[in-house]
Amino acid sequence: MKRNKILQHLASVLDNCNLQDLKCDRVYLYCSMCVNELADDAIGMVQRLLDKPEIRSCRIPLVIDFEKMTAPDYWLKSKLFCVDPVSRSEPLKQKILQLVDMLSALQIKILQVDVDYAEKVFKRMKARVEGSTNSLKYVIWRACHRNPTMKQLEHQQIQVTAEMLMAGILTYDETPAGDDVAEVKLELVRNGLEHGQELPADFDVECAKLRRYSYWQGEHLFMIDYQGIYGYLFSHCFEKFTKEQRIALYEYDVQLRMIHEDMARLKPELSKYLYSSNCMASLENTKLFAPYFHIKEMLKSEWFRNLRVDTKYNEKWADAFAEALMRSEFGQQIADDWKEKSDKIKGYLIGCLKEAGVFKANVSNESIARDAAIIGKTRTFAKWIGKGAREQPYIEWIKNHVNDYCK
């Protein structure tokens, strides 16, 4: 029997025992023997999951209904444990209680899953639904509003968020406290929705749940705390989410990203808040990925560490800065030029960073070119670092934002 069916089969057999004449010794012995063997199988299966250093697969442990199966009465309500004398069933009862304790331990292990691992699992799930989406509503809306105002974009932000909640994405999260629900301002939500759109009952409860995983960046950007929500998604996406809900979750992420990009076009100062390493959206499988990858790796090189002016320009900074640059208004241009001019672009970026004060003041362009050793012609590369860099349209962006990603 597949191991993810063992617990369900054990529960089914216990229910079936209620239909049998357990006062008959032969029937009782047969039922108890069957349940005892299934309980051993279940304990062995759960123990193997507990013995693993970390949960490596959602699909096996998360088909377990922990809400029911960690309650002793779920199992012990069977008549098998109620026959006279009760002592006959005591050893089997203790085995079931052992199973319940182990399931509780497994549930805690899943809930405490490493955030980075949960992120990887969720991104794999997202990749599977990416090709299953229909036309996004925001894309259609945007085609009809070529020059949206900030207020219109804020309304769209509310609209897509409300639709995500109405799809039941947070249905399985813990019910919030009454004072948390009371703090939800539904009127502000209604004001941003399409005229006449009705909200379902208890929508304020879903909003209160979302507040656990969200925050505002300034006055305009409604942000999701992805590091905070990955654990919830890991615990429920495969167990309870329907295919439609998984798609709705993916579509919400994509549309919210689009809205934020449009907001940043109206207010460029907002761009520094977008697409940190916690964001679901990935550059993988896009033409932005190759320059992003090579730029960040270049900025992690030993020669760069030796020439940088401050250790705050570390590996985390390199990741965040390279991603922000590629997601800026200059990312497409860099990506378009990358295939034919990758070495030149590296020189330009080094020069822009030098202008921004990232390198030690006494380091010359020739020294950087020689130590970086990206091409053999040191003098040529030094020109790209100098005059070539100063001619690039993204030099001001780099000078203004280079320190935004230091932590």
Side-chain angles (χ1 to χ4, degrees):
M1 181 184 299
K2 292 182 178 180
R3 55 181 174 172
N4 61 340
K5 297 293 185 182
I6 293 174
L7 287 165
Q8 291 94 326
H9 190 55
L10 173 58
S12 176
V13 169
L14 282 169
D15 284 340
N16 190 49
C17 288
N18 294 331
L19 306 176
Q20 311 304 318
D21 182 10
L22 297 177
K23 292 182 179 179
C24 173
D25 283 346
R26 286 187 177 181
V27 174
Y28 174 80
L29 289 173
Y30 176 80
C31 288
S32 61
M33 180 179 65
C34 183
V35 170
N36 192 69
E37 290 179 356
L38 285 172
D40 285 339
D41 291 343
I43 288 172
M45 180 270 291
V46 176
Q47 187 62 58
R48 286 190 291 275
L49 291 171
L50 288 171
D51 288 341
K52 294 178 182 294
E54 61 182 350
I55 298 297
R56 283 292 182 186
S57 171
C58 284
R59 293 187 177 278
I60 293 168
L62 294 185
V63 296
I64 300 169
D65 189 337
F66 286 106
E67 186 175 349
K68 292 180 180 178
M69 293 183 176
T70 54
D73 288 345
Y74 174 76
W75 307 97
L76 300 181
K77 66 185 178 183
S78 173
K79 291 181 181 179
L80 192 65
F81 301 102
C82 303
V83 295
D84 294 328
V86 175
S87 58
R88 294 178 67 188
S89 62
E90 186 63 24
L92 183 55
K93 177 181 178 181
Q94 292 304 315
K95 188 170 290 188
I96 294 296
L97 292 176
Q98 178 188 354
L99 175 61
V100 168
D101 289 342
M102 294 173 68
L103 286 171
S104 297
L106 180 61
Q107 182 183 27
I108 292 172
K109 187 173 184 179
I110 291 169
L111 293 173
Q112 293 178 339
V113 69
D114 179 74
V115 172
D116 291 337
Y117 179 67
E119 177 181 3
K120 291 176 183 177
V121 172
F122 177 76
K123 285 185 175 180
R124 287 200 299 271
M125 182 277 290
K126 187 171 75 72
R128 284 195 290 274
V129 303
E130 187 170 358
S132 304
T133 57
N134 299 315
S135 296
L136 298 172
K137 288 184 65 176
Y138 181 71
V139 173
I140 298 172
W141 181 89
R142 188 65 174 79
C144 299
H145 300 78
R146 297 189 178 184
N147 298 292
T149 65
M150 185 63 76
K151 185 175 182 180
Q152 288 176 317
L153 292 173
E154 289 172 349
H155 286 172
Q156 284 298 304
Q157 187 171 236
I158 294 172
Q159 185 73 44
V160 299
T161 301
E163 290 174 358
M164 177 273 292
L165 290 176
M166 287 188 276
I169 301 302
L170 293 180
T171 295
Y172 308 106
D173 200 18
E174 182 181 359
T175 302
D179 55 352
D180 292 329
V181 177
E183 291 179 6
V184 174
K185 299 177 181 178
L186 280 184
E187 272 312 304
L188 295 180
V189 178
R190 289 192 179 94
N191 291 341
L193 296 178
E194 297 171 354
H195 179 69
Q197 183 173 359
E198 294 292 328
L199 295 175
D202 295 331
F203 187 74
D204 53 348
V205 175
E206 299 306 297
C207 291
K209 293 177 184 177
L210 183 60
R211 291 183 66 182
R212 299 167 179 157
Y213 309 114
S214 60
Y215 60 97
W216 285 93
Q217 196 66 263
E219 299 179 0
H220 307 291
L221 298 176
F222 181 73
M223 309 294 286
I224 299 299
D225 175 12
Y226 289 105
Q227 292 292 299
I229 202 172
Y230 278 136
Y232 166 77
L233 296 175
F234 179 86
S235 300
H236 298 288
C237 267
F238 288 101
E239 176 196 5
K240 295 178 179 178
F241 277 23
T242 64
K243 178 182 178 181
E244 291 72 22
Q245 285 176 319
R246 294 188 190 111
I247 291 174
L249 179 61
Y250 166 74
E251 290 183 343
Y252 174 64
D253 175 57
V254 173
Q255 291 180 109
L256 191 63
R257 172 167 56 90
M258 290 176 176
I259 293 169
H260 288 170
E261 287 174 347
D262 284 339
M263 287 180 170
R265 288 189 182 95
L266 294 179
K267 290 192 173 184
E269 63 270 22
L270 298 177
S271 61
K272 66 182 180 181
Y273 299 121
L274 303 187
Y275 311 113
S276 68
S277 59
N278 295 338
C279 185
M280 287 185 194
S282 172
L283 292 179
E284 291 187 51
N285 301 318
T286 72
K287 68 177 183 180
L288 302 175
F289 183 75
Y292 155 71
F293 177 81
H294 290 287
I295 291 168
K296 73 183 181 70
E297 291 304 306
M298 177 181 73
L299 299 177
K300 296 178 184 179
S301 301
E302 183 178 359
W303 70 264
F304 178 82
R305 293 196 299 272
N306 292 335
L307 299 180
R308 64 188 175 182
V309 71
D310 196 302
T311 56
K312 68 182 180 180
Y313 302 116
N314 53 27
E315 292 193 357
K316 288 186 176 180
W317 166 82
D319 288 338
F321 170 75
E323 181 167 1
L325 174 63
M326 294 312 298
R327 293 192 185 276
S328 74
E329 60 188 292
F330 306 105
Q332 290 295 331
Q333 176 189 335
I334 293 172
D336 290 340
D337 294 341
W338 184 259
K339 187 174 181 180
E340 303 295 332
K341 303 178 181 179
S342 60
D343 289 340
K344 272 190 176 182
I345 291 173
K346 289 178 183 178
Y348 297 156
L349 291 177
I350 291 171
C352 292
L353 290 171
K354 188 170 185 288
E355 292 288 323
V358 172
F359 292 96
K360 295 174 182 176
N362 60 347
V363 177
S364 67
N365 294 345
E366 287 76 12
S367 296
I368 297 175
R370 183 174 55 253
D371 290 356
I374 291 173
I375 65 171
K377 298 179 179 179
T378 300
R379 185 171 297 178
T380 298
F381 197 76
K383 289 181 179 179
W384 296 343
I385 293 174
K387 183 175 183 293
R390 292 191 291 273
E391 294 174 349
Q392 299 312 306
Y394 39 79
I395 186 170
E396 291 303 318
W397 186 95
I398 291 176
K399 289 165 70 174
N400 290 333
H401 298 293
V402 69
N403 291 313
D404 292 346
Y405 309 98
C406 300
K407 294 182 179 180

